Amino acid sequence: MSDAADTGPVLAADGTPLKRSLARALRVQKTRALLLIAPLLVFVLISFIMPIASMLFRSVENDIVRNTLPETVPLLAEWDATSGELPGEEVYAALARDMIVAVNAKEHTKLATRLNYEQTGIASMFRKSGRQIKKWDPVADAPFKDKFIELHEGWGELETWKTIQTHSSTYTSGYFLNAIDMQKTPEGIQAQPENKQILVKLFIRTLIMSLIIMGACILLGYPVAWILANLPANKANLLMILVLLPFWTSLLVRTSAWKVMLQQQGVINDVLVWIGLVDDANRLIMINNQFGTIVAMTHILLPFMILPMYSVMQTINPSYVRAAKSLGATNWTAFWRVYFPQSVPGIGAGSILVFILAIGYYITPEIVGGTKGVFISNRIAYHISSSLNWGLAAALGTILLAAVLILYWAYDKIVGIDNVKLG
Amino acid sequence: MSLPTYATFGQRVWYYTFRFICALIFIFLITPILVVLPLSFNAEDFFTFTPEMLRLDPEGYSLKHYRDFWNNNEWQRSFKNSLIIAPIATVISVSLGTLAAIGLSQSHVPFRRAIMAILISPMIVPLIISATGMFFFYSQVGNFLEGTLGFNKNFVGYVKVVLAHAVLGIPFVIITVTATLVGFDRSLTRAAANMGADPVTTFFKVQMPLILPGVISGGLFAFITSFDEVVVVLFVGSASQKTLPWQMFTGLREQISPTILAVATILVVISIALLTTVELLRRRSERLRGIRPS
């Protein structure tokens, strides 16, 4: 029976060549897997990836000037800003027509807010002028140049026109420049005035404080992970509860606990006064500064350091250290040359995890950080909900996101996304 | 690990010093949580121990902050909101997440790594960035639902928060369920199919009971993520969707009232209950898969 099959291709039971039959089976399998994944993938793409992408887009988007002043912008583009002369009457007439439309649609205040980020004072000029412009007629009231200058002297200043011209492009790098304390001016890219330079400082502070928190977590986490990995299982499980309970407790609970502990009338100060270490009049100030943020965040992120370290240390074979000792190594050499190098992957995984979590933290710094201990995230939240400079918030968010993604990539290289474990 | 009898004096000193240091770190880990519990029974409106409390005088303790939590409309409404939003978000992330995890653990999945990266990204991207992105996106979605489709404003608010929270819970479901599926014996489903069961029956009668512990613990993670989440709801929700953590956050920032500590205690009790459940489920899952529980 096998003689005939030797010459032709191998056939499956239904007579098709085996190769094709296998390929079809594989295709069916792949399709089934993708169909199972598809609903979730679509859901995450639409409700998570798309919002993030639209945020990225918002950080360069700048169509408000062009949309609000559709006639003025092309005419103004031909104006030579270096000539030292104001734009001609046709620009003013176009502006009048645009403004009448904008004021009636109440769009001019948005434009005013946008331009005010670039040149302080423009917003009030737009609002004041808006009330008068409403009454104008685009044909009967011409010419407009003197009328505008009469309304507000700002319309007769070169700076105003230069600002509008500079920021009338559909896409802008302005928000990103603002995010690193630079600004786009008619004369090119310049540093912000000294008193407005806070964001680079804030980025550096976020980095440094996250590094300190990461370092503190390594120092505190390493001994704990070691003792958990080396105790007998029943004792280790009991102590593990002390690590897992904070891990599972609500972030807000832990943050409020630290507020209770660190306040001037709080538990730690009370204890210190009671044992006489601190005078009642000079209670330590431990909250609303960097110290408060560092202590509270170290506590909150410590389980994220201990758990990866612990899982790596569990796999380290104790006989290596014993072998080193029996070959004459001191305790320290055995630890430093034999045990520690094997535990480095755990430190790496924990550190990156803690660092990623730390640089994006918002809640804890907001509550215990005061003004000195806040992070870049708090600034983003401020621009979203208070100053409403959404473009700048998006640019800051984009920079933060880029930093996190680079770290995430490193984490993937070192640990692997698939190896993320919980609890 | 225990100290050998031949240890030198120096080794003994180091052994006990090391244990002492570890004890201090454990105290650091657990104290903040333990401090909150007794303070929530404070009879005064203070955030600190009163002399009566330290003397263990019953006068110094009372349940007034708990009564305040039960009687205060703001707290009750936020508690109810949390109880509405978290379960619905959990159901969405668990049902979609389990399906996808089963798909991901098939032997041939094209673009497996890329898909995994996308599905886990809500856990990696800092919350403030997710919140910023969702803030822009969901305000547009909300306008569309209210303006074009004419839904009730309140309803749309809940939909937005629930969807946002469901996305945040998904990575946890994916991770726990794929971990459970690693040890899953494929021949069981094949055997079921062999005996004439259709895929749906196989799923519910054979596969689901075996991966159920993983699904439930993933669900608990998703639940606690939503129940504990404040940044996204702060940005996406409006005042009528105020959740418990949001109320605590405003409480901590503005009008500091010790009711927060009572709420915190209740939440600690809830997390202890959840932690116990997850641990029991993990052991059960390992037993079912034939691994000796550790």
Side-chain angles (χ1 to χ4, degrees):
Chain A
M1 102 179 215
S2 61
D3 284 1
D6 280 348
T7 50
V10 189
L11 295 183
D14 59 354
T16 51
L18 188 59
K19 206 172 166 188
R20 202 189 309 157
S21 178
L22 277 176
R24 198 179 55 209
L26 195 65
R27 210 164 45 239
V28 170
Q29 228 178 5
K30 278 187 183 173
T31 328
R32 191 178 333 135
L34 282 183
L35 279 179
L36 284 169
I37 302 169
L40 183 68
L41 193 62
V42 171
F43 178 59
V44 172
L45 282 176
I46 290 180
S47 60
F48 189 78
I49 303 294
M50 238 170 72
I52 301 264
S54 81
M55 180 200 80
L56 300 184
F57 178 64
R58 201 174 273 268
S59 64
V60 291
E61 184 189 31
N62 187 42
D63 53 8
I64 183 156
V65 181
R66 194 169 280 267
N67 286 350
T68 324
L69 306 175
E71 289 191 48
T72 318
V73 167
L75 283 176
L76 191 61
E78 289 158 22
W79 172 61
D80 181 12
T82 52
S83 66
E85 282 173 33
L86 286 172
E89 168 61 26
E90 75 277 5
V91 175
Y92 280 94
L95 180 69
R97 288 193 293 276
D98 285 338
M99 281 295 279
I100 291 167
V101 177
V103 171
N104 284 325
K106 295 205 164 52
E107 289 289 325
H108 71 299
T109 48
K110 284 186 201 161
L111 174 66
T113 317
R114 168 70 188 93
L115 290 175
N116 205 52
Y117 299 145
E118 312 299 340
Q119 189 186 329
T120 324
I122 275 197
S124 71
M125 182 178 98
F126 265 78
R127 272 190 212 106
K128 269 184 206 154
S129 319
R131 278 176 236 133
Q132 296 299 320
I133 292 173
K134 221 172 164 177
K135 301 171 196 152
W136 287 359
D137 183 275
V139 186
D141 283 325
F144 288 106
K145 186 166 180 172
D146 294 330
K147 281 216 172 82
F148 265 108
I149 297 172
E150 204 178 304
L151 268 184
H152 195 290
E153 57 198 17
W155 293 113
E157 281 167 17
L158 284 173
E159 279 309 308
T160 312
W161 290 101
K162 281 183 188 168
T163 308
I164 298 179
Q165 193 187 36
T166 315
H167 297 282
S168 59
S169 55
T170 319
Y171 299 102
T172 179
S173 55
Y175 293 122
F176 277 102
L177 290 172
N178 285 349
I180 52 168
D181 283 342
M182 312 282 268
Q183 58 181 348
K184 204 172 159 185
T185 61
E187 287 78 38
I189 295 162
Q190 289 176 353
Q192 291 266 30
E194 202 77 24
N195 57 349
K196 281 176 117 183
Q197 292 186 6
I198 48 166
L199 292 172
V200 169
K201 249 187 256 167
L202 208 52
F203 268 116
I204 292 173
R205 186 204 285 164
T206 307
L207 277 184
I208 290 178
M209 283 178 65
S210 301
L211 282 175
I212 294 175
I213 290 163
M214 187 185 94
C217 281
I218 295 176
L219 280 182
L220 297 181
Y222 199 88
V224 169
W226 190 85
I227 207 160
L228 284 175
N230 286 285
L231 278 178
N234 54 347
K235 278 188 197 166
N237 279 343
L238 216 61
L239 284 177
M240 199 62 176
I241 295 175
L242 298 184
V243 179
L244 289 179
L245 185 60
F247 180 69
W248 272 91
T249 308
S250 163
L251 173 69
L252 264 305
V253 171
R254 284 180 283 168
T255 310
S256 37
W258 279 109
K259 192 149 184 163
V260 170
M261 302 269 288
L262 295 174
Q263 281 182 70
Q264 275 197 291
Q265 301 299 324
V267 176
I268 293 182
N269 263 318
D270 279 354
V271 171
L272 289 178
V273 169
W274 182 61
I275 52 179
L277 269 180
V278 173
D279 188 37
D280 197 15
N282 313 313
R283 287 172 173 251
L284 302 176
I285 301 170
M286 294 183 289
I287 202 168
N288 294 337
N289 54 20
Q290 303 195 349
F291 180 80
T293 309
I294 289 173
V295 171
M297 282 184 62
T298 304
H299 175 256
I300 287 168
L301 295 175
L302 192 51
F304 291 96
M305 182 66 88
I306 293 177
L307 294 174
M309 277 185 177
Y310 169 69
S311 67
V312 168
M313 284 182 186
Q314 260 190 323
T315 63
I316 298 177
N317 193 337
S319 52
Y320 293 148
V321 172
R322 256 179 281 161
K325 281 187 189 167
S326 78
L327 290 172
T330 60
N331 280 340
W332 170 251
T333 320
F335 168 75
W336 184 246
R337 303 282 298 276
V338 177
Y339 191 86
F340 183 75
Q342 297 184 77
S343 65
V344 166
I347 301 178
S351 305
I352 295 185
L353 196 58
V354 167
F355 192 76
I356 290 180
L357 289 169
I359 58 172
Y361 244 57
Y362 165 63
I363 297 294
T364 311
E366 182 76 22
I367 289 175
V368 298
T371 49
K372 286 265 167 63
V374 292
F375 282 11
I376 198 73
S377 331
N378 303 77
R379 200 70 196 166
I380 297 179
Y382 164 78
H383 282 304
I384 290 279
S385 50
S386 304
S387 86
L388 303 183
N389 190 347
W390 292 347
L392 181 55
L396 290 173
T398 307
I399 295 175
L400 186 58
L401 181 64
V404 169
L405 286 184
I406 291 170
L407 289 168
Y408 178 38
W409 174 80
Y411 186 85
D412 186 33
K413 284 273 165 262
I414 297 170
V415 195
I417 310 171
D418 294 358
N419 293 336
V420 186
K421 281 208 187 77
L422 299 167
Chain B
M1 186 51 208
S2 57
L3 204 58
T5 41
Y6 52 80
T8 62
F9 177 71
Q11 281 170 334
R12 266 167 210 284
V13 170
W14 169 241
Y15 177 82
Y16 287 110
T17 324
F18 182 73
R19 299 227 146 180
F20 181 66
I21 294 172
C22 287
L24 285 184
I25 301 172
F26 279 117
I27 291 173
F28 171 71
L29 271 168
I30 207 73
T31 316
I33 295 169
L34 291 187
V35 161
V36 167
L37 308 185
L39 276 181
S40 68
F41 296 101
N42 199 337
E44 304 290 333
D45 281 347
F46 295 144
F47 264 144
T48 186
F49 289 97
T50 56
E52 290 82 20
M53 293 185 90
L54 291 176
R55 281 202 309 271
L56 293 178
D57 187 346
E59 296 273 298
Y61 295 86
S62 87
L63 288 172
K64 72 182 243 200
H65 302 309
Y66 290 87
R67 278 197 294 274
D68 187 35
F69 172 65
W70 284 115
N71 297 329
N72 185 322
N73 275 336
E74 286 276 298
W75 283 106
Q76 280 307 302
R77 205 177 44 157
S78 58
F79 189 48
K80 266 184 213 129
N81 274 335
S82 279
L83 288 182
I84 294 172
I85 291 167
I88 303 178
T90 308
V91 168
I92 297 177
S93 24
V94 167
S95 46
L96 292 178
T98 308
L99 277 186
I102 291 171
L104 276 171
S105 58
Q106 308 275 329
S107 43
H108 300 282
V109 185
F111 315 112
R112 189 170 184 282
R113 284 182 64 82
I115 292 174
M116 197 73 176
I118 290 174
L119 296 186
I120 294 194
S121 60
M123 195 172 81
I124 304 293
V125 174
L127 273 178
I128 188 79
I129 294 174
S130 315
T132 311
M134 288 176 177
F135 169 74
F136 297 133
F137 179 74
Y138 279 109
S139 58
Q140 286 164 2
V141 170
N143 289 343
F144 173 73
L145 288 179
E146 279 169 41
T148 318
L149 301 182
F151 281 111
N152 176 309
K153 183 162 185 263
N154 208 9
F155 174 74
V156 171
Y158 281 106
V159 169
K160 291 196 292 193
V161 176
V162 163
L163 288 181
H165 276 183
V167 171
L168 294 181
I170 278 167
F172 299 98
V173 180
I174 294 279
I175 289 172
T176 46
V177 179
T178 36
T180 324
L181 282 166
V182 166
F184 184 77
D185 188 354
R186 297 244 150 247
S187 49
L188 293 174
T189 48
R190 268 183 232 131
N194 213 357
M195 288 187 253
D198 59 84
V200 178
T201 319
T202 315
F203 175 72
F204 281 108
K205 295 272 179 187
V206 179
Q207 196 164 19
M208 197 60 188
L210 283 170
I211 63 168
L212 195 61
V215 174
I216 295 178
S217 59
L220 287 177
F221 271 106
F223 181 83
I224 204 125
T225 311
S226 165
F227 199 72
D228 194 21
E229 207 289 322
V230 47
V231 188
V232 168
V233 73
L234 210 59
F235 279 48
V236 172
S238 57
S240 51
Q241 283 87 45
K242 200 178 237 193
T243 58
L244 203 53
W246 183 349
Q247 178 71 24
M248 287 181 82
F249 180 64
T250 32
L252 281 173
R253 256 207 323 198
E254 289 142 25
Q255 19 101 9
I256 294 191
S257 96
T259 312
I260 290 174
L261 298 185
V263 181
T265 308
I266 295 173
L267 290 183
V268 169
V269 173
I270 293 179
S271 39
I272 291 177
L274 288 181
L275 174 61
T276 321
T277 321
V278 169
E279 182 58 23
L280 291 178
L281 285 171
R282 193 179 62 87
R283 295 192 179 188
R284 181 177 158 74
S285 151
E286 288 184 345
R287 253 201 326 275
L288 282 177
R289 286 184 290 154
I291 309 168
R292 211 166 58 83
S294 54

